[in-house]
Amino acid sequence: MNPVNYVYLAALLFTIGAAGVLIRRNAIVVFMCVELMLNACNLAFVTFARMHGGLDGQIVAFFTMVVAAAEVVVGLAIIVSVFRTRHSASVDDANLMKL
Amino acid sequence: MNSLLGLLIAAPLLGAAVLLLGGRFVDRVAPVLGSALAGLSFVLGAILFSNLLGKPASGRAIDSDLFTWMHVGTFKADAAFHLDQLSMTFVLLITGVGTLIHIYSIGYMAHDEKRRKFFGYLNLFLAAMLILVLADNYLLLYVGWEGVGLASYLLIGFWQHKPSAATAAKKAFLVNRVGDIGLAVAVFLMFTTFGTFTFQGILHPSVVSSAGQGKATALGLVLLLAACGKSAQVPLQSWLGDAMEGPTPVSALIHAATMVTAGVYLITRSSAIFNAAPTAQLAVVCVGAVTLLFGAIVGCAKDDIKKALAGSTMSQIGYMILAAGLGPIGYVFAIMHLVTHGFFKAGLFLGAGSIMHAREDEVDMRKYGGLWKKMPWTFATFGLGYLAIIGFPGLSGFFSKDKIIEAAFAKGGTEGWILGGAALLGAAITAYYMSRIMVMTFFGKPRYTTKAEGGTSPEAHESPAVMVAPMVVLAVGSVFAGGFFSLGSRFLHWLEPVTGHSEGHSPVSTGVLTAATIVLMLLGMGLAWFQYGMREVPAAAPRSIWPVRLARRDLGQDDFNHAVFVRGGTRFADGLAEFDAKGVDGAVRGVAGAVGGGSSRLRKLQNGYVRSYAFSMFGGAVLIVAATLFMRAV
Amino acid sequence: MSFPLLTVTAAVPAAGAVITGALPAARRGAAKATAMGFALATLVLAAVVTGRFRPGGAQYQLTESHSWIPAFGVRYQLGVDGIAVVLVLLTAVLLPVVMLASWHDADLPAEGPKDKRRPAGAFFGLMLAIEAMVIIAFEATDVFLFYIFFEAMLIPMYFLIGGFGQKYEGRRAAVGDSADESSVRRSRAAVKFLLYNLLGGLVMLAAVVALYVNAHSFSVPALQNAHLSTTAERLIFLGFMFAFAVKAPLWPLHTWLPGAMGESTAGTAVLITAVVDKVGTFAMLRFCLQLFPGASAWATPVVLVLAVISILYGAILAVVQKDIKRLIAYASISHFGFIILGIFALNSRGQSGATLYMVNHGISTAALMLIAGFLISRRGSALIADFGGVQKVAPILAGTFLVAGLATLSLPGLAPFTSEFLVLLGAFEHTPAIGVAAVVGIVFAALYVLVLYQRTMTGPVKDGVTALKDLKVREIAVVAPLMALLLFLGVYPQPVLNVVNPSVGHTMSALHKQDPKPTHPVAEAINGGSR
């Protein structure tokens, strides 16, 4: 099978994720969309590694997984604590960081 | 002898330093110390004079080079003094009259708590005036020039608690500063043209003519500007009347006898320049003629005795400037009139001071009258000064003024007729306003009620001997100086080596001129007697026709200055201040505001919503990718 | 290796600044005494520098040179010429005087609750820091070294302006001006000062970098022989000149000065105008004229016109000021116009005169400003309208104020006259019209000084003035040396000129200029004459 198809799939997944981040309000869904984008990247990395016959892409994919896992831990903790104080998981309800 | 020259100046300078810095310790000795040092410098002057007389006429000069003041490259200014016949004449006049007025002030200022400062300032004035006349270069002359201006400022404003005195002092200094521009520019011009500004270097016909007539004319005109400021000549005359706010001895010394004649000194000293510049000379005689009439007319209308005398001073200095502008036919007579004027005008002012002393500083002549009985000494000395100034035959003014009128006619042509006519007319007006002063003050019935009679005025009394004595000495000078100087033309022979002299030929014979002068003088006296002697003098000035009202307001000089310079200047300065705040600083603040405004607008992008941040990130990423692709493609 | 005299001269006040600042806040007396001790020690060192300097010797003397940042050819390189020597000495003389005058300025809070005492150590430490930086800026013969301290002196100055306002002994006069408002205005003025000067410094930094790129050196003696292309020279000159014109200040870059001087203490105001601003005019002489002679000659007409505008503009605006300190600030703008006029007259009269002017202006403005400070702190107001008749109640104060004022209007016999005359003569030699226009400034100078004196000192005694006390012994000790200097340098300025003249000669040869000759020299005219 032509490995380029995997690249198309990665692009598709990335687009879905990006659209989800921009459109959805629920913090959990936004968060999952971010994960989706990360995984799309991973897929692309692995595909390119295969195409170029090198190991670099696969190593970066592992790095990304570690980062994603760390992000899940911190991110979910923040979302839960925001939900506890504000009783809402909508990203549009929090704008404390404006100047 | 050279060191005596330095000592001559050092004596009053030391007096000024001791009296002004000494504090209360020298309070008691101040009047005596100040007068003694003035006297000392007169004695030194007399010694130098006898030394000069012992020398042959062509070599009568003493030089004294003290130290190098400023030296930069080829520019070298020395503190050096040069005594010749011209400066000797001034030294004797300044220290002589100065000493007399110091002595007079012992009595006049006896009750003033600040007399230590007064004598300190007077000594400062003497020192500065001596520097002015003894300097051997124009820059050092400038030092004395501004120095006397400072002394004049301090003394006019001596009673600083009076706002009018403070204002008058400021005005005098400012108007003088306008004149000083002229002297400063003259020094610049001399240095760039000749590479020096010493009298020895420049004042030589061949030197001046080498620069061409244009330069000489320019130099003459800027020197004339300086002379106008210091000598209260039109158009810089307005400060002299106000300067009468100062104590009367000051008016006598500074604003009558010595400082205001510095302009005449400057022009006479620079004779080599003016001789080479006929245009500048024409300007000088015009200024002189206009001022002599201007001052005389103002003098006719004033009720304040000091201001009337101030008008007269302006007018008499106008005569001197006129004579100095005539060239070699006039220089000697300008200086001769200057010296005799020093005697009689100082005497007149001291007389006025004596009256004010007796009448608690009342200056309005309408509240005088019949004082001759109460103050016989004052009356006698004032009367002699009066006869001298109107040119009564045989007295000082007769000799000196007549010569000027003659010289004016001798100028020749239409010019001569106009100038001579102006001088003759001035003589008639002089007789009129001086007789008016004399009659209003001393004759008629007293126009005041003393306290004994239930009024407010004190009883008039004669002044103490310490004040009368100087007046007597000056009166003697007013009577005899002119005759003494003219006897065998000795003043002429004395000054001729410095100023040069040529006889003019008057189109009118001397006898006719003298007769005309005397007739005009009698006419002026008669008119004054008719107006003020035969009738009652009203207590308040009557409403008069417009020329008289105009003359009372100094012919509108202050109104003009106020409208143009004061009000216009204030408006301009306020406008400039607004421009500075709104324009210059506004531009700066505008830039700051634009940056600040831009930032606060940009700040609105930071709205705190995660999704909008994400959107801008997404947009940025798309842009970068697009740009990369585009660059690749190109 | 010889003794590093110049480094020590700058290091002593620097050390003094650190020690004074580090003293515990409670030990106020100790802080003042320490600061004064260091300032006096600096004065002694500056006197030694002056004594060791040989006029007519090498251009830069007492030199020190060490490699500092070799990658960019930056050296720690010091050396003084005659101009720097007199300015170092001026700075060292003024500092103890200013400190003595400001002795109690940091004592009590100017505004606000009494328990918030202002740290005396910081106040005097900042002054010493400024002294150290100014001295090293005068001494530096490496452009980069100079630049660093040219910029760094802004920091202590900012804190002095912003942190310490005028202290009033008496009750503040009710002038509709609360303590908070004045504090706000003060910090605004400090920020304005900082921003203006930082902008100038930034432009200069660009020029400094461009200079290195073009000439590959920062050393002044080496740069004098470097050849720059005309365009590069002009652009770099403009960058330097802009920074110096802000500092000096030259019209129209002057608007920070009245605010900064008006809102700070009298002592700080003296430091601004008499010490720090002098670095700007000094730098014009050393860097603009010597490193970029061609560009200087090219820019001369514009600079001269701006200088004349400064002279007249500053003087006219001084006349209409309502605040004594702002009046003196505008007068200083006028005087800086004279200094710049002399520098860019490009002849020896102008430059010697300008250097002498820097010294004389430092002394006369210090005298005028410090006495004004005494006056203002007594009355509790700086508004001219709040005064009147002071000479009646405080004659010594009024008398010394008048002398300082007369020096400001350049009365002959007092120091500023000699320098003003030389500057005007230099300008007249360059272009007569410029000289004549500038001479008109002396009338306005007389106007603002005499108007100030008349309104504050003469006339009837005003209400709030009746209890005004005359000068105290400490204050007389401040004024007396300044008066003595004004008189001495007015009568005998030659000692200063002797030191300055040879250095001006070096500048003239760097400019490839000679003094204009008289058009009709006397010697030729009386050749074989009778006299």
Side-chain angles (χ1 to χ4, degrees), chain B residues 67-75 82 113-114 117 121 139 142-144 146-147 150 153-154 158-163 166-170 173-174 177-178 180-182 184-185 187-197 199-204 206-208 210-212 215 569-570 572-574 576-581 584-585 588-589, chain C residues 192 196 251-256 258 312-313 316-317 319-321 330 348-349 352-353 356 391-392 395 402 406 409-413 417-422 424-425 428-429 435-436 439-440 442-443 445-447 450-451 453-454 457-460 489-494 497-498 501 515-523 525-526 529-531:
Chain B
F67 58 91
T68 300
W69 186 26
M70 289 184 252
H71 188 180
V72 178
T74 53
F75 173 90
H82 175 74
E113 56 184 11
K114 289 201 298 177
K117 276 192 182 164
Y121 293 158
L139 187 57
Y142 186 81
V143 174
E146 288 235 320
L150 168 69
Y153 168 79
L154 292 170
F158 184 69
W159 289 314
Q160 293 180 336
H161 53 89
K162 278 167 45 185
T167 310
K170 183 187 70 185
F173 196 94
L174 281 177
R177 265 259 154 149
V178 176
D180 292 348
I181 291 179
V185 172
V187 177
F188 300 154
L189 200 55
M190 284 171 192
F191 184 75
T192 52
T193 311
F194 305 114
T196 178
F197 40 81
F199 296 157
Q200 313 267 351
I202 292 177
L203 297 179
H204 193 268
S206 60
V207 174
V208 178
S210 77
K215 281 267 169 67
T570 313
F572 176 69
D574 284 339
L576 206 60
E578 192 152 324
F579 169 69
D580 193 52
V584 183
D585 202 32
V588 174
R589 274 185 283 123
Chain C
K192 197 170 184 182
Y196 249 108
W251 188 88
L253 303 169
H254 64 275
T255 52
W256 62 270
L312 299 176
Y313 188 89
I316 292 173
L317 279 190
V319 178
V320 291
Q321 292 305 309
Y330 276 105
S348 60
R349 255 73 71 182
S352 288
L356 193 58
Q391 58 90 21
K392 192 90 177 166
L402 180 62
L406 291 172
L409 64 78
S410 296
L411 191 85
F417 170 74
T418 54
S419 43
E420 191 160 304
F421 179 82
L422 285 173
L424 288 171
L425 178 62
F428 191 87
E429 282 183 276
V436 172
V439 171
V440 176
I442 69 171
V443 176
L447 187 61
L450 296 185
V451 165
Y453 183 79
Q454 186 196 356
M457 301 295 174
T458 69
L489 288 178
V491 178
Y492 197 54
Q494 202 53 42
L497 285 176
N498 282 338
N501 282 342
D515 282 330
K517 295 254 183 316
T519 50
H520 303 84
V522 167
I526 28 178
S530 55
R531 201 145 176 169

Side-chain angles (χ1 to χ4, degrees), chain C residues 316-339:
Chain C
I316 292 173
L317 279 190
V319 178
V320 291
Q321 292 305 309
K322 298 183 174 68
D323 177 303
I324 298 177
K325 284 203 233 164
R326 291 179 72 90
L327 187 151
I328 299 175
Y330 276 105
S332 278
I333 292 169
S334 177
H335 287 138
F336 277 109
F338 277 110
I339 296 175

Side-chain angles (χ1 to χ4, degrees), chain C residues 115-340:
Chain C
D115 52 305
K116 270 179 138 185
R117 310 192 91 186
R118 296 192 288 188
F123 186 67
F124 290 98
L126 287 171
M127 284 192 171
L128 281 174
I130 290 173
E131 179 176 28
M133 290 175 184
V134 168
I135 286 180
I136 210 152
F138 285 141
E139 291 172 348
T141 52
D142 184 283
V143 176
F144 195 79
L145 184 66
F146 170 84
Y147 174 75
I148 288 176
F149 287 98
F150 182 77
E151 285 293 278
M153 67 181 78
L154 299 178
I155 300 163
M157 204 71 234
Y158 168 76
F159 286 112
L160 267 185
I161 299 171
F164 300 88
Q166 175 73 42
K167 181 183 157 288
Y168 299 103
E169 268 176 22
R171 193 172 45 83
R172 268 182 84 82
V175 287
D177 176 28
S178 76
D180 288 342
E181 276 173 35
S182 114
S183 164
V184 166
R185 266 188 297 142
R186 195 168 68 236
S187 55
R188 281 226 179 118
V191 168
K192 197 170 184 182
F193 160 83
L194 193 67
L195 286 182
Y196 249 108
N197 282 282
L198 277 180
L199 178 66
L202 214 60
V203 175
M204 183 179 168
L205 179 63
V208 167
V209 171
L211 182 65
Y212 183 75
V213 169
N214 278 279
H216 305 291
S217 173
F218 281 128
S219 162
V220 172
L223 285 170
Q224 277 172 354
N225 302 320
H227 291 286
L228 300 169
S229 73
T230 313
T231 322
E233 187 188 345
R234 288 180 181 174
L235 285 175
I236 299 170
F237 167 84
L238 286 178
F240 276 64
M241 190 64 199
F242 181 76
F244 303 150
V246 168
K247 188 80 100 185
L250 183 67
W251 188 88
L253 303 169
H254 64 275
T255 52
W256 62 270
L257 187 70
M261 281 177 75
E263 301 302 331
S264 56
T265 71
T268 309
V270 171
L271 283 187
I272 296 172
T273 183
V275 176
V276 171
D277 286 358
K278 294 291 182 306
V279 179
T281 45
F282 164 79
M284 286 180 199
L285 266 174
R286 175 170 282 179
F287 298 107
C288 288
L289 256 50
Q290 297 198 16
L291 300 188
F292 318 112
S296 299
W298 163 72
T300 294
V302 177
V303 177
L304 286 183
V305 169
L306 288 179
V308 170
I309 294 178
S310 273
I311 292 171
L312 299 176
Y313 188 89
I316 292 173
L317 279 190
V319 178
V320 291
Q321 292 305 309
K322 298 183 174 68
D323 177 303
I324 298 177
K325 284 203 233 164
R326 291 179 72 90
L327 187 151
I328 299 175
Y330 276 105
S332 278
I333 292 169
S334 177
H335 287 138
F336 277 109
F338 277 110
I339 296 175
I340 296 170

Side-chain angles (χ1 to χ4, degrees), chain B residues 441-462:
Chain B
T441 306
F442 289 103
F443 297 113
K445 286 189 202 121
R447 290 181 298 277
Y448 58 94
T449 43
T450 61
K451 281 172 185 154
E453 299 160 5
T456 51
S457 301
E459 182 59 56
H461 57 85
E462 187 54 273

